[in-house]
Amino acid sequence: MFGLVDCNNFYASCERVFNPNLRDKPVVILSNNDGCVIARSNEAKALGIPMGAPTYKFEKIFKQHNIQVFSSNYALYGDMSSRVMNILSNFTPDVEIYSIDESFLEFSGFGNYNMQAYCEKIKYVVEKGTGIPISIGLAPTKALSKVANRIAKKFPEQTKGVFIMKDDAARIKALKWLKIEDVWGIGRQHALRLKKHNIHTAYAFSELPDEWVRKQMSVVGLRLKNELQGRRTLELETPAHKKAIATTRSFDKQYKEFDYIQERVSSFAIKSAEKLRRQGSCCQMIYVFLKTNKFRQDLPQYQNSIVVQTGYPTNSSIDLIKFAVEGLKKIYHPDYYYKKAGVIVMGLVPEDQRQLAFFTAENPKHKQLMQKIDRLNGAYGTGAVRFGSQDLGKVWKMRREHLSQAYTTNLGSIIEVNVGDENKS
DNA sequence: TCTGGGGTCCTATGCCTT
DNA sequence: TCTGAAGGCATAGGACCC
């Protein structure tokens, strides 16, 4: 049996843990730059706030319905997530952390357990320990456990937040209920095509001929079909090393000047190098991209990207700036207004296993230099040490006008409890 | 004026080597 | 030495996830 544990409205729930006044009130969480809505409480969903809603278009509605608005606070959500995951691992050794708010659990050898009671206990202990409400779905395959979870979440009164797909009759009933666009692995494009072929439910999809699914949706679609029929094709995955690390951002407005964009791309390269060093990896390729604002169709559109081979594995900020700017020069075009750029480092190898290149290699002094820089930045804050290609006078600030505090990771943000006497807190 | 960021996997294509 | 088939690899793009 697979179990899928999903935290309910995770980001909104995190905010509520430390601010109980938010209970039963509509809450939305905004993306970086406060650009759009990326999470909603049930109350906000009921008010018709869609996922991805642009903030500037909905500000009036936020005010009108007294919706509580928060900038995303990843320090808080990341910490709350690891607390939840820690508790889950006490209930079965086989846990795959699938995302910040979801885990697959495998229950093998639990034949004699009353799984309904066991899962209700998991739910109780997680909620008691963290304040985060969860839903649990159990089924014979991963894809079906996603379906079961959806039912648990959708019908909390009947299911108490735990739904177990006991037999084939339950499977068929659930799949007939689930709309095709809500199936895990069916995105917008596939849903559109399937509907054109009169496939509207998960069940109808699961009954399609193998060849058709394979042809239209590749082996991925076929695996999904098998999973929905109850045949296990996906297993619990063990954490693998990352294959790429990305640092990409939208700009606060549109920019044309090369110098500005070069400065941004250099900063992304530095950030990527820091991430590489933190996980003990080096990269062999660096991908740089540049885009105009896709929402401004009235302006000329342009996007381009390039892969630069480094020639040797490196995680030196100095080298990565050099390669990134070299790539940028090849794709930059002076006629456009740019809104977004990014750097992705690829071809990652462990730092201690880098092969020696015959003619080129990272300057051996860089390693020590980077260690010192990382230490200084660690002690005095990111950006304490900057590079020549970064604009020293400029402080890049993300728009985060509705940020809650880092209650769990920053001592200065710790909650104070006042007990009677105002002097004692 | 203002619409996020970070990932994965699969396929098609073209080129090169065997 | 030439030729075609088959396999490996890099790259680009599309689909999906959270």
Side-chain angles (χ1 to χ4, degrees), chain A residues 228-241:
Chain A
L228 292 178
Q229 286 185 317
R231 285 195 292 271
R232 213 167 135 146
T233 58
L234 302 173
E235 296 302 324
L236 222 57
E237 283 177 26
T238 43
H241 274 128

Side-chain angles (χ1 to χ4, degrees), chain A residues 41-284:
Chain A
S41 71
N42 284 341
E43 296 78 7
K45 286 176 192 170
L47 285 169
I49 309 293
M51 186 67 165
T55 311
Y56 76 97
K57 281 191 189 169
F58 281 80
E59 253 152 6
K60 246 191 199 156
I61 300 181
F62 294 160
K63 280 222 178 83
Q64 205 178 327
H65 296 284
N66 197 20
I67 296 174
Q68 308 296 307
V69 180
F70 290 89
S71 305
S72 34
N73 184 344
Y74 287 104
L76 175 66
Y77 311 150
D79 184 64
M80 293 304 290
S81 171
S82 53
R83 291 173 191 223
V84 171
M85 302 311 175
N86 266 336
I87 294 177
L88 292 180
S89 63
N90 294 330
F91 288 90
T92 167
D94 303 314
V95 179
E96 173 193 339
I97 298 175
Y98 180 69
S99 74
I100 195 163
D101 74 328
E102 274 178 56
S103 265
F104 284 105
L105 313 183
E106 199 182 343
F107 298 102
S108 48
F110 283 70
N112 296 326
Y113 278 62
N114 174 344
M115 289 313 288
Q116 180 75 33
Y118 195 62
C119 289
E120 282 174 19
K121 187 172 172 201
I122 296 177
K123 184 174 156 63
Y124 172 79
V125 174
V126 168
E127 294 184 8
K128 183 98 179 153
T130 65
I132 302 289
I134 60 172
S135 303
I136 307 179
L138 250 68
T141 69
K142 275 179 144 183
L144 287 173
S145 74
K146 274 275 198 181
V147 179
N149 184 280
R150 207 176 177 91
I151 293 171
K153 211 178 238 183
K154 187 86 183 174
F155 305 103
E157 287 86 23
Q158 294 99 305
T159 62
K160 294 193 217 158
V162 174
F163 181 77
I164 301 177
M165 202 177 276
K166 287 195 179 67
D167 49 28
D168 212 46
R171 178 186 71 88
I172 291 170
K173 191 176 172 195
L175 293 190
K176 284 186 173 169
W177 165 80
L178 187 63
K179 285 189 281 200
I180 188 66
E181 64 266 33
D182 293 336
V183 175
W184 180 49
I186 306 279
R188 253 215 303 269
Q189 303 302 321
H190 287 331
L192 211 64
R193 188 164 341 128
L194 287 164
K195 281 182 185 170
K196 270 189 197 145
H197 286 87
N198 218 18
I199 305 297
H200 296 279
T201 64
Y203 182 72
F205 171 71
S206 73
E207 293 291 299
L208 283 168
D210 279 3
E211 314 77 63
W212 191 88
V213 176
R214 164 77 234 231
K215 186 143 185 255
Q216 300 284 324
M217 302 169 62
S218 84
V219 293
V220 184
L222 193 55
R223 273 203 288 261
L224 176 62
K225 192 202 121 160
N226 280 315
E227 283 266 310
L228 292 178
Q229 286 185 317
R231 285 195 292 271
R232 213 167 135 146
T233 58
L234 302 173
E235 296 302 324
L236 222 57
E237 283 177 26
T238 43
H241 274 128
K242 277 198 189 129
K243 297 180 174 167
I245 292 176
T247 310
T248 72
R249 291 285 180 281
S250 298
F251 307 149
D252 54 342
K253 32 181 212 192
Q254 306 180 120
Y255 288 92
K256 201 172 190 179
E257 309 73 33
F258 180 80
D259 285 354
Y260 174 86
I261 294 161
Q262 172 183 252
E263 193 284 330
R264 296 275 58 210
V265 165
S266 300
S267 296
F268 299 157
I270 292 164
K271 194 90 189 160
S272 300
E274 284 169 3
K275 291 181 189 171
L276 279 173
R277 296 198 290 271
R278 213 173 304 142
Q279 71 156 41
S281 300
C282 287
C283 73
Q284 303 175 97

Side-chain angles (χ1 to χ4, degrees), chain A residues 7-18 29 80 131-133:
Chain A
C7 301
N8 301 347
N9 312 316
F10 182 55
Y11 295 171
S13 299
C14 288
E15 297 293 348
R16 277 181 175 159
V17 170
F18 298 95
I29 318 294
M80 293 304 290
I132 302 289

Side-chain angles (χ1 to χ4, degrees), chain A residues 329-344:
Chain A
K329 281 182 179 156
K330 292 193 178 131
I331 57 172
Y332 170 81
H333 202 294
D335 292 347
Y336 299 95
Y337 287 96
Y338 297 99
K339 179 67 180 163
K340 185 172 182 171
V343 164
I344 304 176

Side-chain angles (χ1 to χ4, degrees), chain A residues 297-355:
Chain A
Q297 288 297 329
D298 54 318
L299 297 175
Q301 296 288 310
Y302 173 76
Q303 58 172 313
N304 207 347
S305 62
I306 190 169
V307 176
V308 181
Q309 305 283 342
T310 61
Y312 51 91
T314 177
N315 58 19
S316 150
S317 301
I318 297 170
D319 284 350
L320 290 183
I321 291 172
K322 187 182 78 188
F323 292 120
V325 171
E326 181 187 314
L328 176 67
K329 281 182 179 156
K330 292 193 178 131
I331 57 172
Y332 170 81
H333 202 294
D335 292 347
Y336 299 95
Y337 287 96
Y338 297 99
K339 179 67 180 163
K340 185 172 182 171
V343 164
I344 304 176
V345 288
M346 307 185 300
L348 306 192
V349 290
E351 201 167 25
D352 49 8
Q353 282 172 32
R354 50 180 135 183
Q355 286 183 353

